[in-house]
Amino acid sequence: MPDMPETRSFRLGVAGPVGTGKSSLIATICRELADELRLGVITNDIYTDEDARLLRAAGVLDPDRIRAVETGACPHTAIRDDVTPNLIAVEDLERDFAPLDVVLVESGGDNLTATFSPALVDAQIFVLDVAGGGDVARKGGPGIARADLLVVNKTDLAPYVEVDVDQMVKDAEAARDGKPVLALSRKDPASVTRLKDWVRNMTNHVRTGDHTPVDPGPMAPHSHVGEDGSVITHVHTH
């Protein structure tokens, strides 16, 4: 595979359930790597641009490099079924700030079935957190099992929610068949360094054509609450 064109960034997706710390993880990546990598961010929310506003307020990047897509629908519709709004946002950002090294695409808060289309991103991180329960990792699902990196986030909270982080990581490793798992706390410099190293290495692999995006597979049937409060159950198929 040839090297990417100058205007084409490495596109890195970040998905996971609501409240697991996706925005915080992106802020950490930007804060730690902005001096060595040219970064941009696309956030997804259903009806607001709140995540983008929070990242801008954190001062981790030039505010113009952080843009929002309001999906107006089930969050993973915009990262898997119809990626057009996100793809346009990424390409606009790449054009306006060329050349960018990495564009991070944050999914709206979702469930364990969320996966990005390889038409949108080159690699993907799936984020869990210890406050969601120590048993979540072994429940599996496409995001947990097949994302390029699984992050077990907010490990500093483990004593307060009575979660054994080592066991949660072991369960995650078993569910992922050897793919990498990172236990992370933004308060733990060693874990932040491991996150930085992973992003650097994956950036190099994508840039040199040594990484091929892999489709993590279809999402399972799931339910969510519609605008009128009704419960909608549906399947994402093509």
Side-chain angles (χ1 to χ4, degrees):
M1 182 186 295
D3 290 356
M4 293 188 301
E6 280 283 318
T7 55
R8 171 66 157 82
S9 68
F10 161 35
R11 300 163 181 178
L12 175 59
V14 180
V18 174
T20 53
K22 298 182 295 297
S23 296
S24 174
L25 181 143
I26 287 173
T28 298
I29 291 172
C30 292
R31 191 177 291 114
E32 296 290 330
L33 290 173
D35 288 342
E36 59 182 278
L37 294 173
R38 295 160 294 194
L39 304 172
V41 177
I42 304 295
T43 67
N44 282 194
D45 279 304
I46 297 178
Y47 302 119
T48 73
D49 63 350
E50 183 172 351
D51 285 345
R53 287 189 281 111
L54 289 172
L55 286 170
R56 293 183 193 119
V60 294
L61 280 184
D62 174 349
D64 290 337
R65 293 192 185 196
I66 302 170
R67 299 184 181 177
V69 171
E70 294 184 30
T71 63
C74 179
H76 45 231
T77 296
I79 66 169
R80 180 155 185 100
D81 297 330
D82 181 7
V83 302
T84 304
N86 272 315
L87 200 55
I88 290 171
V90 170
E91 290 174 348
D92 285 348
L93 194 60
E94 289 173 337
R95 183 193 63 241
D96 293 346
F97 291 96
L100 290 176
D101 294 309
V102 184
V103 172
L104 296 131
V105 182
E106 179 189 359
S107 170
D110 216 315
N111 56 42
L112 300 181
T113 70
T115 57
F116 284 86
S117 167
L120 177 59
V121 301
D122 303 300
Q124 45 197 294
I125 297 173
F126 199 85
V127 186
L128 300 176
D129 74 301
V130 298
D135 61 339
V136 175
R138 63 175 175 263
K139 291 181 178 179
I144 290 174
R146 295 190 286 276
D148 296 277
L149 175 67
L150 177 67
V151 171
V152 175
N153 201 14
K154 306 181 188 178
T155 56
D156 52 297
L157 299 182
Y160 305 102
V161 293
E162 299 182 349
V163 167
D164 182 335
V165 173
D166 289 340
Q167 185 60 52
M168 190 171 179
V169 169
K170 287 178 184 176
D171 290 342
E173 289 172 340
R176 287 176 54 75
D177 195 26
K179 295 183 179 68
V181 178
L182 172 62
L184 177 70
S185 166
R186 62 182 179 178
K187 299 179 180 179
D188 173 27
S191 68
V192 172
T193 295
R194 290 192 289 273
L195 174 64
K196 289 162 57 179
D197 289 344
W198 185 88
V199 174
R200 285 193 195 101
N201 290 337
M202 186 58 76
T203 301
N204 289 333
H205 287 317
V206 171
R207 183 179 288 151
T208 58
D210 294 326
H211 173 78
T212 301
V214 175
D215 190 337
M219 292 175 286
H222 63 279
S223 301
H224 57 87
V225 179
E227 280 187 83
D228 60 358
S230 62
V231 176
I232 302 167
T233 299
H234 62 173
V235 180
H236 292 257
T237 59
H238 295 281

